[in-house]
Amino acid sequence: MTWDDLDAHLDGVPGTVSAYVGRLHAPPTWTRHADAGHYAASTMKVAVLATLHRAAEAGTLDLDAPVPVVNDFASAQPGAPRFANAQPYDNDDAVWDRIGGTATLRWLADRMIVRSSNLATNLVLGHVGLPAVAEVWALAGARNSVTGRGIEDFAAREAGITNTVTAADLAALLGALATGADTPGPLASPAACTTMLDVLLAQEHREDLAAGLPTGTRIAHKNGWVRGVRHAAGVVLPDDAPPYLIAVCTTTDLADGDDQVEDDACLLLAHISAQVWAARHHL
């Protein structure tokens, strides 16, 4: 396979397929529409995770202090009513079981990533704030990605406030975490970056990029999906080659938005992941 062959294959896919592949600390090996904007779905949760850990290091939040678990959030649209999440659209009943009680921000952040809980995300986002998430994107070197609202904030959505990512920006964010685990970087200390990578390594939704890798291959990643969208981005850690970044964003009719089904969009991401894995020694 050559990168031209992969591009030619993807030219036949309906919609927009964006990708970024490359080593850490190096220019990309292959990109495809890497700066094209896509609705973020749950990939924006990585930026929320990084924002939380930055706040903890700054001493403004305590990761292990219990906070109330509620389902009531302020809209990003000024003057709009408060909004709530719908449990059928979430992926983690464990967070919902705690409504009316408490949980630590650390636990909520873990559920936000490993189970992609929307409720946990909005709870964490309520503590860190949207401006701080914007700062994380900027510090990571992202140029076009925006986290403008919480999940299921429909009043903000109707007002045109949305969450957008690009493959290049997701790679920049994951790359900042991966390199920051070795040397001090712009987002957090090496210890905090290592902690965040460990959370991403524990990702339980493994039906796209991870499905294209040999069993047992370590990948610190986050994916996101709604009908018409399937994205995933991560750092792959082979035993026999240097780590590499891979981010794939698809806005396509192949994505049915059901996390319980391995749809054609999942298979497409797995195919791309497998092709990149095959070239891992030559990136």
Side-chain angles (χ1 to χ4, degrees), residues 40-246:
S42 291
T43 57
M44 49 77 77
K45 296 172 183 177
V46 181
V48 178
L49 177 71
T51 306
L52 176 64
H53 280 268
R54 279 178 57 78
E57 290 206 313
T60 57
L61 288 175
D62 182 349
L63 292 178
D64 296 310
V67 300
V69 177
V70 299
N71 187 19
D72 177 66
F73 306 103
S75 174
Q77 171 63 13
R82 297 178 71 84
F83 72 97
N85 289 126
Q87 188 169 4
Y89 295 107
D90 209 332
N91 304 290
D92 189 7
D93 289 339
V95 181
W96 291 81
D97 289 343
R98 297 203 183 191
I99 287 179
T102 63
T104 66
L105 287 170
R106 187 188 303 277
W107 183 82
L108 290 169
D110 287 352
R111 305 310 292 180
M112 172 179 71
I113 298 298
V114 303
R115 292 301 306 162
S116 205
S117 169
N118 294 336
L119 180 59
T121 302
N122 283 342
L123 287 164
V124 174
L125 190 56
H127 285 273
V128 300
L130 290 166
V133 180
E135 183 179 3
V136 160
W137 280 118
L139 289 170
R143 296 178 296 172
N144 301 295
S145 295
V146 175
T147 302
R149 60 172 173 84
I151 298 173
E152 297 176 64
D153 183 353
F154 299 127
R157 185 184 69 180
E158 292 301 315
I161 301 170
T162 191
N163 299 325
T164 304
V165 293
T166 72
D169 288 348
L170 286 171
L173 179 57
L174 270 296
L177 294 180
T179 57
D182 296 322
T183 58
L187 293 185
S189 69
C193 286
T194 298
T195 297
M196 288 186 271
L197 286 176
D198 286 343
V199 174
L200 292 161
L201 281 164
Q203 174 62 251
E204 295 178 13
H205 290 281
R206 304 180 63 83
E207 54 277 323
D208 39 55
L209 291 184
L213 301 172
T215 301
T217 302
R218 294 185 301 152
I219 175 172
H221 74 297
K222 182 73 190 80
N223 35 28
W225 58 91
V226 295
R227 183 172 294 278
V229 163
R230 187 84 197 195
H231 311 322
V235 185
V236 181
L237 303 162
D239 290 333
D240 61 349
Y244 62 87
L245 294 162
I246 178 170

